[in-house]
Amino acid sequence: RYPLHPVGDRRDANYTYTLGSIGYSARLGSSTLANKLYADNTKLYFNEVTENPDNSIKRNKEQTKQGLVLGWDSKWSWAPSEFQEVLLGLNYERNSATYLEEEWNPVPAPDHYIHFYNSYFSQHGEGPGRNVARTSNYAAYAQDEIRFLDKLRLTLGLRNDHFEGFGGETSPRIGVVYAPQESTTLKALWGRAFRPPTFRQLYVVRFDGLQGGDPHLKPEKAETMEMEVGQKLGDTTYAKLGYFHSKLTDTTLTIDNSTWFNLSVPRITQGLELELRSEFQIDGPLFKTISVFLNGTRLLNAFDDTPLGKVDIASVAPTLANWGFTARSRNLTLFSAWNLVGRRNPGYVYNPLKNIIEYTYHLKVSDSFAGYKARDNKGGYVTQDLNLGWQGFSSLPLKLELIVRNLWDKL
């Protein structure tokens, strides 16, 4: 789990997802009304085993998390003319962390450590146990899309969210698409968005008092600008080149095991994105079409703008890429992708609590473990993902999928 740990550390993870939704839509003249109820229940279980140098068990740690989202979404779309479409919507979500439980059992284990709760939620001052944390979000949104002939499209959007705990946030969005000719598309987008703190960042309590939650955290806020040009290259190939710039404020961090807090300096990222994709007819025995793709992202800048100067964001990889293919027939789909994560930034971080630039956890290994301290845990790597889908094996509208992530455990 941690490349610089001086002992063996293995962490097995199991995820269980149960998702469902039911929706209804009706056409009313030039407008459409759609409603949907949905639920998402997620359970995560971790079993972490730490070994001594002689491979005997040093510690066993178990962690269980479970969350439930219940939501309702209603939207009304109206086309007053062939050149305009208006969208109005309401959304409600009830988000619950039904429990967080961690047990730490050192070996040999004193009696008072057996089944000791390492972490728990305390939204209303509760003590150790399977406590529940809950919050609700109410949102209203609107969008107006206006088309000027066949070449220009303007999109205006506005969304207001009201979260229990920190009030409301408004997120505007403006987009322009211009097609000077059928094979060329120019796009520009500006918008603001936010991310609320997680339950762990807000309400977690650890037995050692470290990395505690802060119920007064503010949401992270982002202002983003994007520009993009797309070009068809013949009948089967499409290329896209884009530029993005993002400013993030009130980033949520914990440094040196501190209580979670909002970073007081802005975080800036800007870079370039490239996309290439092609699709071909092959009419083979198993598959009829195949599409290939290549995507790449290069960060030109990724830094915290601190009073002590610009500090590269710790552990961020400035170069990312993925490439692969999708093969399809009537009943079968085969997808495979190779994902490159380039060398990551060194682990420096600005600590506003001390007004200094310091090392993050992985660079603080004791000098007594010189061999481990010399290891390079920032190097790049490649992973492969695989997805096989099969449908048409039943009269019911069912699809069976086998999904494998990180097939070879980092190439």
Side-chain angles (χ1 to χ4, degrees):
R1 182 184 175 197
Y2 294 115
L4 296 183
H5 266 195
V7 294
D9 190 290
R10 184 184 73 251
R11 191 184 199 195
D12 298 325
N14 293 278
Y15 301 79
T16 304
Y17 302 97
T18 307
L19 305 97
S21 66
I22 182 170
Y24 171 79
S25 62
R27 185 79 177 175
L28 305 170
S30 60
S31 65
T32 301
L33 179 64
N35 286 276
K36 182 172 71 171
L37 295 171
Y38 55 92
D40 178 356
N41 187 75
T42 303
K43 185 175 183 179
L44 294 80
Y45 169 75
F46 302 97
N47 180 31
E48 182 177 347
V49 178
T50 303
E51 299 175 346
N52 294 305
D54 63 359
N55 296 326
S56 62
I57 302 300
K58 179 179 180 179
R59 181 176 73 226
N60 183 62
K61 180 179 177 182
E62 297 184 13
Q63 183 183 83
T64 304
K65 309 175 187 178
Q66 187 161 351
L68 175 65
V69 177
L70 299 174
W72 165 73
D73 189 77
S74 179
K75 53 189 173 185
W76 174 71
S77 60
W78 173 51
S81 72
E82 60 178 317
F83 302 109
Q84 185 179 17
E85 184 172 351
V86 178
L87 176 67
L88 301 175
L90 298 172
N91 180 267
Y92 169 78
E93 280 193 353
R94 181 68 166 170
N95 197 335
S96 304
T98 50
Y99 65 84
L100 166 69
E101 179 180 287
E102 293 181 337
E103 297 177 1
W104 180 46
N105 302 308
V107 179
D111 290 340
H112 66 284
Y113 277 107
I114 296 295
H115 302 303
F116 189 88
Y117 286 108
N118 186 28
S119 299
Y120 58 92
F121 290 123
S122 182
Q123 185 176 11
H124 304 292
E126 302 93 334
R130 289 188 175 184
N131 305 326
V132 177
R134 293 189 176 94
T135 188
S136 293
N137 177 48
Y138 307 84
Y141 55 92
Q143 178 177 291
D144 190 5
E145 182 179 291
I146 305 171
R147 293 181 291 276
F148 301 90
L149 301 179
D150 295 327
K151 295 182 180 293
L152 184 63
R153 184 169 76 244
L154 173 66
T155 303
L156 304 173
L158 190 67
R159 178 183 173 108
N160 182 266
D161 290 82
H162 183 84
F163 269 84
E164 288 182 347
F166 60 81
E169 291 289 339
T170 300
S171 305
R173 180 176 180 269
I174 301 174
V176 179
V177 180
Y178 176 60
Q181 55 189 22
E182 186 177 352
S183 60
T184 305
T185 304
L186 306 175
K187 296 182 182 180
L189 173 68
W190 173 87
R192 290 176 179 166
F194 74 99
R195 186 189 71 85
T198 66
F199 285 127
R200 175 177 281 274
Q201 293 167 347
L202 289 168
Y203 306 124
V204 75
V205 176
R206 278 178 36 162
F207 80 101
D208 53 11
L210 303 178
Q211 295 185 11
D214 181 356
H216 304 294
L217 286 173
K218 296 180 289 185
E220 296 180 344
K221 299 177 183 178
E223 183 173 354
T224 303
M225 184 269 291
E226 300 176 22
M227 293 183 291
E228 175 189 300
V229 56
Q231 180 68 47
K232 289 183 179 179
L233 306 174
D235 296 330
T236 62
T237 302
Y238 179 78
K240 182 173 69 175
L241 178 64
Y243 167 82
F244 61 89
H245 181 282
S246 178
K247 179 181 179 181
L248 185 66
T249 56
D250 293 323
T251 307
T252 307
L253 291 177
T254 174
I255 300 176
D256 282 345
N257 291 317
S258 69
T259 298
W260 288 91
F261 66 94
N262 291 112
L263 188 63
S264 58
V265 299
R267 175 164 286 185
I268 307 297
T269 57
Q270 60 182 134
L272 300 174
E273 294 180 319
L274 172 67
E275 177 184 338
L276 292 170
R277 66 174 186 265
S278 295
E279 184 167 340
F280 308 95
Q281 293 288 134
I282 57 174
D283 294 324
L286 286 179
F287 301 103
K288 303 303 180 183
T289 64
I290 184 169
S291 59
V292 295
F293 64 90
L294 168 65
N295 302 303
T297 300
R298 176 63 184 177
L299 290 178
L300 305 175
N301 283 297
F303 61 87
D304 292 329
D305 195 4
T306 80
L308 304 179
K310 296 178 181 179
V311 179
D312 289 339
I313 302 174
S315 298
V316 166
T319 301
L320 299 172
N322 71 317
W323 60 94
F325 68 89
T326 302
R328 296 183 179 89
S329 68
R330 180 179 178 182
N331 297 325
L332 287 176
T333 303
L334 174 63
F335 167 83
S336 185
W338 288 261
N339 311 291
L340 167 69
V341 177
R343 183 170 184 80
R344 291 175 290 156
N345 289 337
Y348 296 96
V349 65
Y350 171 68
N351 187 341
L353 307 177
K354 303 176 182 178
N355 196 33
I356 60 173
I357 298 172
E358 60 180 350
Y359 295 134
T360 54
Y361 173 82
H362 284 162
L363 293 180
K364 289 188 173 181
V365 179
S366 168
D367 289 334
S368 60
F369 298 104
Y372 292 92
K373 192 178 184 69
R375 286 186 180 180
D376 180 6
N377 72 325
K378 302 295 184 182
Y381 57 88
V382 176
T383 63
Q384 184 185 1
D385 297 335
L386 187 68
N387 185 318
L388 179 63
W390 180 32
Q391 60 188 17
F393 56 88
S394 168
S395 59
L396 298 175
L398 299 177
K399 183 179 182 180
L400 181 66
E401 281 190 293
L402 172 66
I403 303 172
V404 183
R405 304 294 187 200
N406 192 15
L407 184 61
W408 307 106
D409 192 20
K410 295 184 179 180
L411 299 172

